[in-house]
Amino acid sequence: MSEPTSYRIAVIGGTGPQGKGLGYRFARHGHGVVLGSRSAEKAEPVAAEVTERLAGVEGAGEVTGATNADAVAAADVVLLAVPYDGHDELVATLPLAGKTVISCVNPLAFDKRGAHGRVVNGGEGSAAESAQELAPEATVVGAFHNVSAVLLWGEEEFLDEDVLVVGDVVEAKEVAMDLAAAVTGRRGIDAGKLRLARQLEPFTAVLISINRRYKTHAGVRISGL
Amino acid sequence: MSEPTSYRIAVIGGTGPQGKGLGYRFARHGHGVVLGSRSAEKAEPVAAEVTERLAGVEGAGEVTGATNADAVAAADVVLLAVPYDGHDELVATLPLAGKTVISCVNPLAFDKRGAHGRVVNGGEGSAAESAQELAPEATVVGAFHNVSAVLLWGEEEFLDEDVLVVGDVVEAKEVAMDLAAAVTGRRGIDAGKLRLARQLEPFTAVLISINRRYKTHAGVRISGL
């Protein structure tokens, strides 16, 4: 595995299971991570927990906690790992201009029949596209939608999954494809334009459904590459 | 691989690449197949082509051609493998009452930015759900959306993919999960309720996008099972 670049990554929603788990994996492979939250007081103990988990890992990156805005200001790359509820309002407040923004936000709904995709913008939108509209001077890509938070925080060296990356700017996709290697042991897959986030985001509902039936943590792999 | 049951399958759209390829795979593993088309004259030469391809395959099922309506009348299981354009009108004319109907229909659109999902019913529908509404006395499941027609007609014994099956009736899902073994060498995966066809159908656009970038025939595998 080659990781030519170390990034400084702000994880918005860094105290949630997905954000904390991805932050842990990124730091484990040498990237610097600032876990962001509404208050620094909430983020700091989680950063300390991740730091403790990384004790003795050679070459691990530093993990700190900060407010979401301070985290963004200190980073090159911003991971949006927040619930879809409140997503738009939060994104609109962040100083994202000039940043590479990776959205792993899944607009899902749950009822007695299980998980399913929430309809964004009448079926012609996605959380990632909304973020791009709200932060037009940032470059938004979609990735890491389907990785299991449980496995991210688990013991396996790498997750047996592929990270699918969508976006309209190749250079920004390359960043997410690089970072995927910290999670899966291999580069992410360029899966096309940003609008295909409409497909990647709700696919998580399918995996949740499989998880319930088979009592597992299912992931997606792409065959034929 | 165990295949306890042989089905008699009508393939609607049996002269198209997906229908012909799936029909070939089903017959190769002992299922009887009637390839349906608008006219028997159009279906018969394709059935002959598949039959020729099966020459010498021990235990192969019979493959014949018929009109769509005659194909349905002769079958227990109906595979809808038609383009989404005209899908609703065609389904409404078929005698589907009492049948197990498997939809692999992908509502996709293409423009200069590539393939993407078409919005069905304002984002709250899918081809499979439309079929169920149009044929309320049939039992519709969704499956085989993402298998490559090129690989289906290719030389590999089995495709390195998983068949995801969605539906609201377990017995009907079991049929599609059984049939998947003829294509992939293992049972299909129960991926949840029929409405999750909203996710499986347009996911094909993601695979098409990967195919273009990587010059391959990508498929989906589920890890963690």
Side-chain angles (χ1 to χ4, degrees), chain B residues 56-130:
Chain B
V57 176
E58 206 180 326
E62 193 188 16
V63 181
T64 58
T67 63
N68 284 321
D70 286 351
V72 170
D76 325 304
V77 179
V78 178
L79 177 74
L80 298 175
V82 295
Y84 183 62
D85 279 322
H87 164 272
D88 290 2
E89 295 75 9
L90 175 62
V91 168
T93 69
L94 295 174
L96 295 172
K99 308 288 182 184
T100 295
V101 175
I102 303 172
S103 170
C104 67
V105 176
N106 290 319
L108 299 181
F110 297 85
D111 60 21
K112 65 184 195 306
R113 316 191 79 209
H116 56 112
R118 213 193 279 193
V119 177
V120 178
N121 196 15
E124 314 231 359
S126 58
E129 288 166 285
S130 297

Side-chain angles (χ1 to χ4, degrees), chain A:
Chain A
M1 187 177 110
S2 72
E3 282 169 324
T5 313
S6 269
Y7 297 101
R8 187 151 178 84
I9 306 158
V11 181
I12 309 305
T15 59
Q18 198 81 359
K20 172 179 142 180
L22 284 167
Y24 162 61
R25 295 285 170 167
F26 294 154
R28 197 178 153 87
H29 288 272
H31 303 290
V33 173
V34 188
L35 299 180
S37 190
R38 259 168 297 180
S39 71
E41 291 67 33
K42 210 177 154 220
E44 280 155 6
V46 180
E49 184 190 359
V50 176
T51 301
E52 191 179 338
R53 179 101 202 254
L54 290 165
V57 175
E58 206 180 327
E62 194 188 15
V63 181
T64 58
T67 64
N68 284 322
D70 285 350
V72 169
D76 326 303
V77 178
V78 178
L79 178 74
L80 298 175
V82 295
Y84 183 62
D85 279 321
H87 165 271
D88 290 2
E89 294 74 8
L90 175 62
V91 169
T93 68
L94 295 174
L96 296 172
K99 309 286 183 184
T100 295
V101 176
I102 303 173
S103 169
C104 67
V105 177
N106 290 319
L108 299 182
F110 297 84
D111 60 22
K112 64 184 196 305
R113 317 190 79 211
H116 56 111
R118 213 192 281 192
V119 176
V120 179
N121 195 15
E124 315 231 358
S126 58
E129 289 167 284
S130 297
Q132 183 63 83
E133 282 163 28
L134 291 162
E137 293 176 72
T139 306
V140 178
V141 303
F144 301 107
H145 300 95
N146 304 321
V147 290
S148 149
V150 173
L151 296 181
L152 285 170
W153 194 246
E155 298 299 325
E156 293 293 329
E157 174 74 10
F158 291 115
L159 275 62
D160 180 23
E161 309 190 15
D162 282 309
V163 172
L164 302 178
V165 181
V166 293
D168 293 337
V169 177
V170 172
E171 293 73 18
K173 283 200 276 195
E174 297 280 347
V175 172
M177 290 160 74
D178 278 356
L179 286 172
V183 177
T184 65
R186 57 188 179 282
R187 257 176 96 65
I189 295 172
D190 182 348
K193 297 290 186 190
L194 188 65
R195 67 178 171 187
L196 292 177
R198 297 171 201 176
Q199 273 71 68
L200 298 188
E201 292 172 2
F203 198 80
T204 304
V206 175
L207 295 174
I208 290 170
S209 180
I210 292 171
N211 288 348
R212 291 213 177 146
R213 272 162 190 74
Y214 295 89
K215 314 287 177 214
T216 186
H217 302 291
V220 173
R221 293 227 34 180
I222 299 298
S223 61
L225 294 180

Side-chain angles (χ1 to χ4, degrees), chain B:
Chain B
M1 188 175 110
S2 73
E3 282 170 323
T5 313
S6 269
Y7 297 100
R8 188 153 177 83
I9 306 157
V11 181
I12 309 306
T15 60
Q18 199 80 359
K20 173 179 141 180
L22 284 167
Y24 161 62
R25 295 284 169 168
F26 294 154
R28 197 178 153 87
H29 288 271
H31 303 291
V33 173
V34 189
L35 299 179
S37 189
R38 259 168 299 181
S39 70
E41 291 68 33
K42 210 176 154 221
E44 280 155 5
V46 179
E49 184 190 359
V50 176
T51 301
E52 191 179 338
R53 179 102 202 252
L54 290 166
V57 176
E58 206 180 326
E62 193 188 16
V63 181
T64 58
T67 63
N68 284 321
D70 286 351
V72 170
D76 325 304
V77 179
V78 178
L79 177 74
L80 298 175
V82 295
Y84 183 62
D85 279 322
H87 164 272
D88 290 2
E89 295 75 9
L90 175 62
V91 168
T93 69
L94 295 174
L96 295 172
K99 308 288 182 184
T100 295
V101 175
I102 303 172
S103 170
C104 67
V105 176
N106 290 319
L108 299 181
F110 297 85
D111 60 21
K112 65 184 195 306
R113 316 191 79 209
H116 56 112
R118 213 193 279 193
V119 177
V120 178
N121 196 15
E124 314 231 359
S126 58
E129 288 166 285
S130 297
Q132 184 63 81
E133 283 163 29
L134 291 161
E137 293 176 72
T139 306
V140 178
V141 302
F144 301 108
H145 299 96
N146 303 322
V147 290
S148 149
V150 173
L151 296 181
L152 286 171
W153 193 245
E155 298 299 326
E156 294 294 330
E157 173 74 9
F158 291 115
L159 276 62
D160 180 23
E161 309 190 15
D162 281 308
V163 171
L164 302 179
V165 180
V166 292
D168 292 336
V169 177
V170 172
E171 293 72 16
K173 283 201 276 196
E174 297 279 348
V175 172
M177 290 161 73
D178 277 355
L179 286 172
V183 177
T184 65
R186 58 188 179 281
R187 260 175 95 65
I189 294 172
D190 183 348
K193 298 290 186 191
L194 188 65
R195 67 179 171 185
L196 292 177
R198 297 171 200 176
Q199 272 72 67
L200 298 187
E201 293 171 2
F203 198 81
T204 304
V206 175
L207 295 174
I208 291 170
S209 179
I210 293 172
N211 289 347
R212 291 214 175 145
R213 273 163 189 75
Y214 294 89
K215 315 286 179 214
T216 186
H217 302 289
V220 173
R221 294 228 34 181
I222 299 297
S223 61
L225 293 180

